[in-house]
Amino acid sequence: MPMNAALEGIESSHATHAHTGAWVAAVLRERISAGKLPPGTKLSEQALAEALKVSRNTLREAFTVLAGESMVQRIPNRGVFVASPGADDVREMYRVRGLIEPAAVLWGEPDEADFAAMDAVIARARLALAEGSVPGMADANQELHKAIVATTRSASLQELMERVLAEMRLVFHAMATTPDFHSHYVERNAALVDRIRSGEREGAAADLREYLAAAEHELLVHIGAA
């Protein structure tokens, strides 16, 4: 996808923190999470500076932030590229997810609005499954897990989850031709929400730990690391 197309819809002049490295990092992180900047994409300083109307120094600040999050990689004499996570990155992502997501299930405070949002995500996932849409299933999966962590009402945990899911998006690109990876989690997600709704929190948390371990193993097998 061309750089300008990937950045359409951004109104930097109206952003509270526009022209800051943190704001630019947030914009790029969101675009990576949405799949608009896939692994290996070269992040052109000139194109980004013009599209976002920021200085190159501000852009470099953003690159430093994203490099610290393993979202981008600097390659000497070549530039900055969206990262392609390896086996160790996958293990670290699931280590983080295995801690915060079951905890969110156990101690989150979901209300009717949360469950309505989760039900809507599950409906989208089922539609994507019926249509054979791998991107649709991947998007719904991301949204469901984000919604679970949102029930903690913790801004810090939600920010951490956003970063992890953005990095997960990079891993999912490796599974773009493997629809079964996403398809068999559609109903597992639905069952998970049902158990949370019915108050079976410990059982739901145990299911989620097993679910995450299975997904991690499947990803590692796919990339030849297990």
Side-chain angles (χ1 to χ4, degrees), residues 18-175:
H19 311 298
T20 69
W23 177 79
V24 175
V27 168
L28 295 178
R29 190 185 299 115
E30 187 277 329
R31 288 314 197 253
I32 291 170
S33 180
K36 295 180 179 178
L37 293 171
T41 300
K42 184 173 182 178
L43 300 177
S44 163
E45 283 193 9
Q46 180 176 348
L48 285 169
E50 291 176 358
L52 298 174
K53 298 180 175 59
V54 297
S55 70
R56 291 199 176 193
N57 283 338
T58 296
L59 194 57
R60 288 165 189 159
E61 290 175 15
F63 287 161
T64 297
V65 171
L66 295 175
E69 297 173 3
S70 301
M71 298 293 297
V72 304
Q73 179 182 16
R74 284 191 173 97
I75 301 178
N77 302 317
R78 290 188 58 198
V80 178
F81 296 79
V82 177
S84 299
D88 287 343
D89 300 304
V90 170
R91 293 187 182 100
E92 177 61 16
M93 287 177 229
Y94 277 94
R95 188 174 295 116
V96 173
R97 294 186 65 183
L99 288 169
I100 66 174
E101 290 190 55
V105 168
L106 286 170
W107 299 302
E109 300 175 344
D111 56 23
E112 287 307 312
D114 292 314
F115 285 121
M118 292 183 204
D119 290 341
V121 171
I122 290 166
R124 291 201 300 274
R126 286 171 169 158
L127 178 60
L129 175 60
E131 295 175 344
S133 171
V134 175
M137 287 186 283
D139 289 346
N141 184 69
Q142 296 270 85
E143 288 301 315
L144 192 281
H145 290 274
K146 187 189 301 185
I148 288 172
V149 173
T151 67
T152 64
R153 313 302 180 209
S154 166
S156 296
L157 284 178
Q158 291 179 72
E159 181 181 355
L160 175 58
M161 189 63 176
E162 189 75 41
R163 292 179 184 179
V164 172
L165 289 179
E167 197 172 358
M168 283 297 308
R169 173 68 70 174
L170 300 179
V171 180
F172 285 163
H173 278 281
M175 309 298 283

